[in-house]
Amino acid sequence: MTKYLEILDDKPELIKRALRIVMGRIEEAIARRGVCTIALAGGSTPKPLYEKLAEQSLPWAQLNIFWGDERYVPADHPDSNQRMARLAWLDQVPIPEGNIHPMPTAAADPQQDAAAYDATLRNFFGDRPWPSFDIVLLGMGDDGHTASLFPQTAALTVGDRLITVGEKQGEPRLTFTVPLINAAQNILFLVAGENKQEALQKIFHSDADGFAYPSKLINPDHGVLWWLLDAAAGDRLAPDQAIYQTKSRPEP
C-alpha cells in the first residue's frame, strides 16, 4: 500500500492533477487487462473532473463505470449522482450503455436495491470475495464522511457485503462498504474548500476515530491511496498531524 498527500494551489489545479492521475490509471489498467473499472463519486467537487474526462479521447468500449454511492432517488432526480455524471460526462461520449452500471433505486426498498447492486458487482467481477476496482473516486464531507458512510452509523460496521444502506438524517442511500473501497487498486480523495479543514485535521491525526470520521477508515489493502486537497482545505494541516508522507506531485 502506498499513500500520497498533495495540496494543490486551488480547485482548478486539483482537478488538473486528478485528471492526470485518472488518465494514467486508465491507460495502465487497459494495458494490463484490456478493461478499466471506475467507481464514481457524487457531489460538486468531482463534476469538473467529469467534464474534463468528456473532452478526452479514450477507448470508451474498454471502460466500465459504476457508482460508489447513490441517493435513494429516481435516476432523473436533480440530486441523483448518476444524473450528474451522465450530464457532465457519460452522455457526452460514445461509451456503450452496457458499460454503465448505475445503482438501482426503483424498488421502493433500499435493502432490496442494495442486494441487487451487490449481485451486479459479483456477476461482473466473478467469484472473488472482494472485487478490486481500478479506480475509486471519493469526496469527503465536512463531517468526515465519504461515499454514503456517515459518522456513527451502522453502515460503517458492515464487513460481509459489497453494498449496504447508508443513512443521512433519516434518508437512505446506497453505498460501497468500507472493505469494498479498500480492495481497490487506486483510491482518489478529491477534497476542496475551507469547510473541510477541521475534519481533515482529525482524519490526519494518528489517533483519529474512524467511527466519528469515516474517511479515516479508508486504507487500501494493496493499492494506492491519493489525497488531493486544494489549499483552502489543506491549509491547517501541520506536518506532525499528517500520518501520510507528503509528496510533491509524484508521477501517476
Side-chain angles (χ1 to χ4, degrees):
M1 178 178 60
T2 304
K3 302 178 182 180
Y4 295 119
L5 165 66
E6 294 186 61
I7 301 176
L8 292 305
D9 289 341
D10 52 29
K11 187 174 178 180
E13 286 298 314
L14 184 159
I15 296 302
K16 185 186 300 183
R17 180 64 175 140
L19 177 65
R20 184 180 178 189
I21 294 171
V22 169
M23 293 288 287
R25 299 288 77 79
I26 289 173
E27 180 179 349
E28 180 183 83
I30 291 175
R32 186 174 67 250
R33 297 186 295 103
V35 297
C36 180
T37 54
I38 308 175
L40 303 186
S44 60
T45 302
K47 182 179 178 182
L49 172 61
Y50 301 157
E51 292 169 342
K52 291 294 184 183
L53 285 165
E55 299 172 358
Q56 309 305 309
S57 178
L58 290 168
W60 300 111
Q62 293 170 276
L63 269 59
N64 276 272
I65 307 297
F66 300 81
W67 276 261
D69 76 312
E70 182 60 273
R71 294 174 173 85
Y72 203 67
V73 296
D76 60 354
H77 192 281
D79 292 338
S80 167
N81 291 340
Q82 177 190 172
R83 179 178 182 272
M84 183 273 281
R86 283 186 178 274
L87 291 176
W89 174 18
L90 302 175
D91 288 350
Q92 315 304 319
V93 299
I95 185 170
E97 185 62 29
N99 290 20
I100 300 173
H101 311 274
M103 287 183 160
T105 57
D109 182 341
Q111 296 291 347
Q112 180 179 328
D113 278 327
Y117 203 59
D118 192 300
T120 294
L121 297 186
R122 295 186 187 280
N123 289 337
F124 181 90
F125 285 95
D127 186 19
R128 64 180 82 173
W130 298 104
S132 182
F133 282 84
D134 294 302
I135 303 168
V136 172
L137 297 174
L138 295 173
M140 189 200 77
D142 57 12
D143 60 355
H145 87 268
T146 192
S148 284
L149 298 166
F150 291 94
Q152 314 294 342
T153 59
L156 301 176
T157 66
V158 176
D160 59 348
R161 282 165 280 163
L162 307 182
I163 307 298
T164 191
V165 178
E167 181 180 317
K168 181 180 182 181
Q169 298 174 344
E171 296 181 358
R173 303 185 179 195
L174 304 187
T175 186
F176 278 17
T177 58
V178 171
L180 177 57
I181 296 173
N182 283 336
Q185 295 299 309
N186 297 276
I187 301 170
L188 277 74
F189 273 97
L190 310 182
V191 184
E194 184 178 356
N195 62 320
K196 309 297 176 65
Q197 289 181 3
E198 182 176 349
L200 285 167
Q201 285 185 296
K202 298 290 187 180
I203 290 162
F204 277 76
H205 199 280
S206 58
D207 62 358
D209 178 6
F211 205 62
Y213 296 92
S215 293
K216 175 76 170 182
L217 299 174
I218 306 306
N219 290 288
D221 302 326
H222 306 288
V224 181
L225 175 60
W226 308 77
W227 278 92
L228 303 184
L229 318 178
D230 72 355
D235 184 61
R236 291 167 58 188
L237 285 181
D240 62 346
Q241 287 183 299
I243 60 172
Y244 307 124
Q245 183 177 3
T246 301
K247 301 281 188 176
S248 178
R249 295 179 178 268
E251 288 302 313

